[in-house]
Amino acid sequence: MVTYLDADLAPTRNTGQIKLYGPEAFEGMRNACALTARCLDELAPIVKPGVPTETIDRFVFEFGMDHGAVPATLNYRGYTRAVCTSINHVVCHGIPDAKPLREGDIVNIDVTYILDGWHGDSSRMYPVGTIKRAAERLLEVTHECLMRGVAAVRPGARTGAIGAAIQSYAEKERCSVVRDFCGHGVGRLFHDAPNILHYGSANEGVEMRPGMIFTIEPMINLGRPHVKVLSDGWTAVTRDRSLSAQYEHTVGVTDDGCEVFTFSPAGLDRPGLPG
Ligand code: MF3
Ligand code: CO
Ligand code: CO
């Protein structure tokens, strides 16, 4: 039996109960998420061939410091960087390093800032220079998966409606949905109940209610859905080494749908893609 409770009355840990947030929390999340979105905007001209991902890490760290925010991934469960940078067949949790990005790479940059105690979690794909048509198509399909997931958010529906919308579109486009990672409740905690699956049926999952806040962050592969985690304990890659992409938004459920907290103020939700 799933239970919902007023977030103001809930302990600040994942009890499995679903927190329902009020207007002050929504305002806090708006601010944290806007900062994350601005950082992702500012990264667009920085991501170029020859730039190492540790330069991106440094930028995310300093941009946060300059605006009173701390990157949530720093020292999170042993992770020691300000950001995840996942290149080509890396599905998620890529660790920034000194290796330069190369023309034709696609890289996901996943930023989570903690501002006034609220977590703003979002990621986008960045083409590095000119990319192949197949890679561009994967980015387009993956962004469309995210937006179809967002469009399925409304009170009364189940979270499975999000996964169903994503999976049906991805598979129609002959892509596959990664099963090993999911979206998550977010707020004063980085990762909270409920899990948001990016596959499944509309009658699965929990009922969405106004005040819920969670991420939607589909990982979509050109090849098979299976992943493995490398010996660094973090880097997740496709087993068949096919290209993988991901976009992520943080959303809040409203009385008639949802509010997307992490939209780009500059209209750069899909950097490097037309539209
Ligand atoms: N930002 C990721 C997410 O979307 C989580 C990264 S956790 C880390 O949930 F430790 F790998 F950084
Ligand atoms: Co997330
Ligand atoms: Co994220």
Side-chain angles (χ1 to χ4, degrees):
M1 225 334 243
V2 52
T3 59
Y4 301 80
L5 83 175
D6 183 337
D8 289 336
L9 307 175
T12 310
R13 57 193 168 81
N14 184 351
T15 60
Q17 295 168 299
I18 294 171
K19 299 178 180 74
L20 300 178
Y21 294 91
E24 284 166 35
F26 269 55
E27 193 53 32
M29 287 299 287
R30 247 171 238 137
N31 292 331
C33 290
L35 190 69
T36 296
R38 277 182 54 202
C39 175
L40 292 172
D41 285 353
E42 301 220 2
L43 283 166
I46 295 173
V47 177
K48 287 198 296 267
V51 173
T53 46
E54 62 189 18
T55 298
I56 295 167
D57 183 65
R58 175 77 58 92
F59 179 85
V60 172
F61 179 78
E62 285 177 358
F63 185 88
M65 291 297 121
D66 290 347
H67 294 90
V70 178
T73 57
L74 262 186
N75 305 313
Y76 179 78
R77 296 174 184 237
Y79 192 85
T80 60
R81 297 296 190 146
V83 67
C84 297
T85 50
S86 303
I87 303 168
N88 296 338
H89 69 294
V90 179
V91 172
C92 63
H93 302 163
I95 303 169
D97 64 17
K99 213 169 124 241
L101 290 166
R102 291 160 45 149
E103 178 94 22
D105 284 345
I106 55 170
V107 58
N108 174 277
I109 304 180
D110 191 340
V111 174
T112 307
Y113 281 131
I114 309 172
L115 184 65
D116 300 330
W118 299 104
H119 290 71
D121 187 5
S122 184
S123 80
R124 302 179 196 159
M125 296 302 298
Y126 297 75
V128 180
T130 304
I131 62 173
K132 289 200 172 122
R133 182 59 203 146
E136 186 173 274
R137 190 182 78 90
L138 176 64
L139 302 198
E140 280 170 345
V141 168
T142 306
H143 188 266
E144 181 65 19
C145 282
L146 171 59
M147 295 319 292
R148 287 181 182 224
V150 166
V153 177
R154 58 174 181 80
R158 290 182 178 269
T159 55
I162 300 167
I166 292 169
Q167 184 181 14
S168 62
Y169 181 72
E171 293 180 354
K172 178 172 80 73
E173 294 294 325
R174 286 169 286 105
C175 295
S176 66
V177 178
V178 170
R179 311 289 205 268
D180 301 68
F181 302 96
C182 53
H184 49 91
V186 63
R188 291 204 178 273
L189 291 181
F190 192 178
H191 294 112
D192 203 352
N195 285 335
I196 305 295
L197 305 189
H198 303 116
Y199 59 94
S201 309
N203 60 8
E204 294 168 342
V206 300
E207 186 189 308
M208 291 183 265
R209 298 206 181 161
M212 285 172 65
I213 299 178
F214 52 81
T215 73
I216 306 175
E217 48 182 298
M219 283 141 273
I220 306 295
N221 300 345
L222 275 184
R224 311 238 325 136
H226 310 103
V227 311
K228 66 175 180 189
V229 176
L230 301 185
S231 58
D232 59 25
W234 286 104
T235 311
V237 300
T238 55
R239 280 189 176 271
D240 63 7
R241 296 187 66 85
S242 66
L243 283 185
S244 186
Q246 178 180 32
Y247 292 81
E248 175 176 25
H249 276 313
T250 296
V251 307
V253 182
T254 60
D255 289 333
D256 60 357
C258 78
E259 175 174 346
V260 179
F261 295 125
T262 42
F263 271 143
S264 164
L268 277 173
D269 290 301
R270 315 174 341 148
L273 294 185

